[in-house]
Amino acid sequence: MGNLWKTQQSHQQSLTRKLLPYVLYAILPLALLHFYLYPSPPPLLDSSSVIKDQFSNLNPISKAEKTGNGVLDSVSEPPKEKENVNEILISSTPPPKEEESKEIASVCDYTNGKWVQEKKGPLYNGSSCGTIKDGQNCMNHGRPDMDYLYWKWQPKECNLDRFDPQLFLQILEGKHLAFVGDSMARNQLESLLCMLSSVSPPNLIYSNGDDNKFRRWHFPSHNVNVSVYWSPFLVNGIEKSSDGTINYNQLFFDSVDERWGSELDSIDMVVLSIGHWYLHPAIYRDGEVELGCHALDSMNCTDVEFYDVFGKAFNTSLKAIIERKSKSEGNGIDVIVTTFSPHHFEGEWDQFGACSKTKPYMEEEKSLDWMDSRMRQAEVEEVEKAKTILNADNNAMPKVRVAALDVTKLAMLRPDGHPGPYMHPNPFADGIKERVQNDCVHWCLPGPIDTWNEIMLDVMKRWRASSMK
């Protein structure tokens, strides 16, 4: 019996060894066919029906959707390659606002960055925009090079989106934006008007003062008002006479210039931008107290550095805004302080080639001059002081927001963006002149100053995102 079992066992083992290769050859194609038709793990539901149902429940993407770069944008971006597309399709319910706001930084350091080439170019040109001041219309005045129009500021810490005029008007819908300051404030204002005009032409509804220094435009598409108030000191002051009989300014730091201060109740957002008028000879007073003077050697007064009084002007102005708005029953206000924009004169104002650069400086090529740095520092310090006041005042905090539009460094790197001799039409039509008037302070339109408004819109988007928390 034992031998028979061993013989059968041996026979079975031999048969198994013979058949095993054929069994494996038969199973392998079946296994491959199974994995091809039903990937592991097999689906629990028909994936096509899931996607179809989810698309039917998706809401349209609004223009205020948050994109992956940490700010609000007007156009939704496609999913990045590293994201799971299936999760995006299946998740039809948007995340809570608290989760959205956590992904968006409330501030960005726009100071540190570099100018990079941009192929798209500006939103407008010298002919398509009718609000450009004649002295800044470099294209129509015959400037031969156009390279200065194709640069974009790229901060190191955040993305700066291309200016979206529709989104800007949407955020300001039904509100009043005011630019207060000197000709640099007007330069930024006219840049903004041109960019907004590319989608919605405004109507000039008010004009007054020499050289139309007080003007207001209305954008009927969004019921937005944009104004400019001439106030080169921000505080109360008497300008030097145009006929030269009085060659110095008189400034009073105990009160703001009421030409704009008296209208704060009607203003929802204000841009303060001054600087170059503080370089002129002046006498400074605070009430009945004489603080001193600047560049007036012929007069018996104590010479005072204008950096300190320059900061004092912002101190007086920001305190007045906070105090008046915190006590007001009406609307709040957003305050933007545009920091000092350096000039680029490399010689006399009437010398040929006074600002002849045609490309931006690289960061390692140029550093801020001591004066430009001090002017910027005075402004930034006063903005921080204002924020401290707001943080300590529960009544003022919901009514006032303050930010520095810190453009000093990025402006310093753009010597190529000024009108130079093209502040007048075709200055070299009769040949090269040794002496020709130059403007190496203001900016061509279109030009680098358009970036100021790109940054301002980015600040506005971040403010709006923070308010959603």
Side-chain angles (χ1 to χ4, degrees), residues 181-304:
D182 55 21
S183 58
M184 297 305 297
R186 183 174 60 198
N187 205 177
Q188 185 180 350
L189 157 91
E190 290 167 351
S191 162
L192 179 65
L193 288 176
C194 286
M195 290 196 288
L196 297 179
S197 297
S198 66
V199 297
S200 178
N203 299 319
L204 180 64
I205 59 175
Y206 178 79
S207 181
N208 193 17
D210 298 336
D211 198 23
N212 296 321
K213 290 180 177 177
F214 300 87
R215 288 176 292 170
R216 181 169 299 166
W217 291 263
H218 180 247
F219 289 85
S221 63
H222 294 76
N223 189 27
V224 171
N225 287 320
V226 179
S227 302
V228 61
Y229 294 81
W230 174 260
S231 183
F233 314 120
L234 293 184
V235 296
N236 203 7
I238 301 173
E239 297 175 24
K240 60 183 180 179
S241 59
S242 57
D243 59 10
T245 54
I246 301 177
N247 63 350
Y248 58 89
N249 302 311
Q250 300 179 64
L251 281 64
F252 306 90
F253 291 92
D254 56 322
S255 62
V256 298
D257 182 354
E258 289 299 333
R259 291 180 295 182
W260 64 270
S262 62
E263 298 198 21
L264 278 172
D265 283 342
S266 70
I267 298 173
D268 301 281
M269 181 174 177
V270 62
V271 179
L272 307 178
S273 178
I274 60 170
H276 291 275
W277 275 70
Y278 273 80
L279 310 183
H280 298 170
I283 293 177
Y284 310 129
R285 293 187 175 89
D286 188 350
E288 298 298 322
V289 179
E290 186 171 302
L291 300 176
C293 62
H294 167 64
L296 286 174
D297 296 335
S298 59
M299 300 185 67
N300 185 21
C301 62
T302 304
D303 190 68
V304 175

